[in-house]
Amino acid sequence: MAIKIRLARGGSKKRPHYAIVASDSRMPRDGRFVEKLGTYNPLLAKDDERRVVMDLERVQYWLGQGAQPTDRVARFLESAGVAEKKARNNPNKAKPGKAAQERAEARAAKAAEAAEASEEAAAE
């Protein structure tokens, strides 16, 4: 049985509230789980201590049993000091969107035209 430590969504529409659970990876996201390990409330401020609440002893137990945390839960564990910080590399995230790239190209073309015009004026 492959155990994952992941988020199970609760709460109403547009008011999410998550439970941090140890679950069989074959079960549905909000379905059956083995143990509830904590809660995550994204509506609270980022510096609020109630935003992420975990039973770290049980989390470490499940990690010792071979449970794999999901990306979001791994970030929670890194901030709690339970897991080492992983290096992340997403070069596409830093790239501007399609419209911004088009604006940059248009700006560069306009600057090139202005530079050519000033060179011609200086040559005359």
Side-chain angles (χ1 to χ4, degrees):
M1 181 164 70
I3 298 289
K4 282 208 155 301
I5 300 175
R6 64 183 181 195
L7 298 175
R9 186 184 161 126
S12 59
K13 180 179 174 184
K14 307 239 181 185
R15 304 280 301 167
H17 186 270
Y18 296 92
I20 302 170
V21 297
S23 171
D24 184 349
S25 63
R26 297 170 292 187
M27 292 295 136
R29 177 192 72 181
D30 301 335
R32 192 170 65 196
F33 57 87
V34 179
E35 183 178 358
K36 183 176 176 181
L37 304 173
T39 59
Y40 167 56
N41 188 351
L43 299 177
L44 294 175
K46 291 189 180 195
D47 58 350
D48 193 339
E49 67 272 355
R50 295 172 299 153
R51 184 177 168 106
V52 178
V53 178
M54 285 187 285
D55 184 356
L56 295 177
E57 258 182 51
R58 294 304 294 168
V59 169
Q60 288 175 331
Y61 166 78
W62 283 111
L63 291 174
Q65 296 295 316
Q68 295 297 314
T70 59
D71 292 338
R72 177 60 53 187
V73 173
R75 284 181 183 245
F76 296 156
L77 296 175
E78 289 169 7
S79 66
V82 174
E84 301 97 32
K85 190 167 182 108
K86 291 182 184 175
R88 293 179 183 82
N89 184 15
N90 188 355
N92 292 331
K93 184 157 180 123
K95 290 182 184 175
K98 188 175 182 181
Q101 286 177 348
E102 290 172 359
R103 285 193 301 267
E105 289 171 4
R107 205 175 308 120
K110 193 173 183 181
E113 287 177 11
E116 286 179 17
S118 65
E119 287 177 12
E120 288 177 11
E124 291 177 5

